[in-house]
Amino acid sequence: MSHLFSPTSVGNVQLSNRIVIAPMCEYSAQDGCANDWHMIHLGHLALSGAALMFTEATAVEPDGRISPGDLGLWSDETEAALGRVVAAVRRYSPIKLGIQLGHAGRKASSAEPWNGGQLVPPSEGGWQGWAPSAIAHKASEPPPHALDEAGLARVRQAFVDSARRAIRLGFDAIELHAAHGYLLHQFLSPIANQRQDAYGGSLENRMRFPLEVFQAVREVVPASMALGVRVSATDWVEGGWDLEQTIVFAGQLKERGCEFIDVSSGGVSSQQQIPVAPNYQVPFAAEIKRQVGMPTITVGLITEAQQAEDILAQGQADMVALARGILYDPRWPWHAAAQLGGQVAAPHQYWRSQPREFKNLFGETHFGQR
Ligand SMILES: Cc1cc2nc3c(=O)[nH]c(=O)nc-3n(C[C@H](O)[C@H](O)[C@H](O)COP(=O)(O)O)c2cc1C
């Protein structure tokens, strides 16, 4: 039996295979509200046969959006808008749904990537970000506000409030975004965090706020859902956040009831030098899995079925996440199942597409109106 198509679980959530759809910002929401684009985007990926799909980074407060088009979950309106998409996906697909909750910190108020991605200052209609320290991501950018005690309490509470909304919406999993140079990663990294108080300096102090946020969210998330964290395992900058610190952080998360870790890298510094190549982040996941022993997701330039199968067969990770590869080929899991002799859930409406040579491709499914 193929490793990729063997079942697993995160916390109490059962997954039919090891394929995860990574969070992908769409920059297409209005005032944080999901719309028909999200219905189409998440809707079509929900038919892919992957076991678990994450929403894009979803902001816990309006100032925590990367761009004005980010999804949010901070109000009844944003909750209702996302609820419409979740209900439609649930009606037609057995895919497990995760939400990535995040705060952009000093990388907030940016233009959409197709409009250049640059920071938009308040003078041009943007807003000022919030961060551990008043240090801009790039020297040319206006600095963010440094969060004071009241600001820290506000953001911590915003994560909890959004988590409560995600619970109400019936998500199966929550992933806290502590990667890619956004707020929680900014606290971890000495590059962005130069605070002099209990939240900066030593590793213990830099981990304090992300761990407080995790713990506060942990207290409200029921055991029926899985709660995990996405980390950047390194800043790819000398003197920055690195694998050794990530392993300590992951251990602390595990002690506090973290049920999975999703291992990415980079994003906090424009000085980063990333040796991008297939599997380039897999060794980080493998080491975290070996030393911490939490269900581990690896991600980053995994594009081939055999490549994914080998990662799992070698025990380097428990799940494989895809972003660009599954945008390019939304039936990637079907093709992988055909190649590796696995089975995928497919909607009855599509069963006639099963190629003659792959007779058992479509297994028993739970598709159909629920
Ligand atoms: C369009 C797009 C949007 C993304 N948005 C997010 C996001 O919201 N949150 C996140 O953690 N990563 C985000 N990423 C990063 C992916 O989740 C993934 O880690 C990265 O693309 C590497 O995987 P890949 O090589 O399979 O694309 C995004 C990537 C793409 C291509």
Side-chain angles (χ1 to χ4, degrees):
M1 176 146 142
S2 113
H3 291 85
L4 192 58
F5 290 93
S6 64
T8 188
S9 56
V10 274
N12 289 317
V13 177
Q14 307 298 316
L15 301 177
S16 55
N17 60 49
R18 310 300 183 99
I19 306 169
V20 176
I21 301 180
M24 280 181 274
C25 281
E26 296 300 298
Y27 313 97
S28 302
Q30 282 128 15
D31 299 323
C33 291
N35 53 39
D36 285 351
W37 173 255
H38 304 86
M39 186 73 88
I40 292 168
H41 166 67
L42 295 172
H44 92 290
L45 290 176
L47 307 180
S48 65
L52 171 64
M53 173 167 67
F54 282 103
T55 65
E56 65 195 79
T58 302
V60 298
E61 64 173 10
D63 283 1
R65 289 172 299 169
I66 303 165
S67 81
D70 281 27
L71 270 190
L73 192 52
W74 60 70
S75 63
D76 292 349
E77 291 72 30
T78 52
E79 183 179 333
L82 192 55
R84 185 174 151 262
V85 177
V86 170
V89 168
R90 291 280 189 225
R91 199 168 299 128
Y92 294 108
S93 166
I95 201 164
K96 296 285 166 46
L97 283 175
I99 184 166
Q100 188 187 51
L101 293 179
H103 191 298
R106 67 180 186 173
K107 289 171 86 174
S109 187
S110 300
E112 301 81 357
W114 52 82
N115 287 322
Q118 73 288 353
L119 205 90
V120 181
S123 58
E124 291 168 31
W127 64 93
Q128 198 170 351
W130 299 89
S133 305
I135 305 167
H137 182 73
K138 290 187 193 144
S140 57
E141 294 171 347
H145 298 293
L147 285 159
D148 59 12
E149 285 282 344
L152 292 174
R154 182 195 82 224
V155 173
R156 201 164 38 227
Q157 190 58 42
F159 270 96
V160 173
D161 293 344
S162 294
R164 285 189 203 277
R165 291 184 187 277
I167 296 163
R168 268 208 297 274
L169 289 175
F171 277 94
D172 300 294
I174 295 179
E175 174 178 272
L176 301 183
H177 198 350
H180 302 168
Y182 298 113
L183 185 68
L184 299 182
H185 180 189
Q186 288 161 27
F187 271 88
L188 295 172
S189 173
I191 292 172
N193 182 349
Q194 295 179 10
R195 294 174 76 99
Q196 308 293 323
D197 63 3
Y199 293 96
S202 65
L203 172 59
E204 189 187 355
N205 281 359
R206 283 180 280 117
M207 292 192 301
R208 192 179 308 278
F209 186 63
L211 288 174
E212 282 179 5
V213 169
F214 178 83
Q215 199 144 359
V217 172
R218 179 69 279 180
E219 279 164 22
V220 302
V221 173
S224 56
M225 288 172 76
L227 176 61
V229 175
R230 181 171 251 205
V231 290
S232 277
T234 176
D235 288 341
W236 297 109
V237 177
E238 197 63 40
W241 180 252
D242 58 17
L243 179 61
E244 204 180 318
Q245 297 174 78
T246 309
I247 288 167
V248 176
F249 181 52
Q252 297 276 319
L253 288 169
K254 187 182 177 191
E255 271 178 28
R256 287 164 176 76
C258 185
E259 289 162 313
F260 66 93
I261 190 127
D262 182 357
V263 183
S264 189
S265 73
V268 97
S269 168
S270 49
Q271 309 297 312
Q272 64 187 17
Q273 298 290 333
I274 308 186
V276 177
N279 287 7
Y280 72 107
Q281 294 177 149
V282 172
F284 299 130
E287 198 52 25
I288 293 168
K289 178 172 154 61
R290 195 179 71 78
Q291 291 206 35
V292 184
M294 228 190 297
T296 302
I297 304 176
T298 187
V299 65
L301 274 184
I302 299 163
T303 54
E304 309 305 317
Q306 192 60 50
Q307 180 189 3
E309 179 70 11
D310 292 346
I311 291 166
L312 299 172
Q314 289 164 26
Q316 293 175 297
D318 299 289
M319 288 154 279
V320 165
L322 283 85
R324 290 163 292 185
I326 204 155
L327 278 190
Y328 187 67
D329 176 8
R331 298 278 184 271
W332 192 95
W334 293 20
H335 301 138
Q339 189 180 327
L340 300 171
Q343 283 191 330
V344 277
H348 294 141
Q349 294 92 329
Y350 293 178
W351 274 17
R352 286 172 68 185
S353 70
Q354 182 170 267
R356 216 179 275 253
E357 65 273 32
F358 302 121
K359 279 207 174 53
N360 299 312
L361 187 54
F362 298 152
E364 197 42 52
T365 71
H366 307 284
F367 273 100
Q369 208 145 4
R370 292 202 268 187

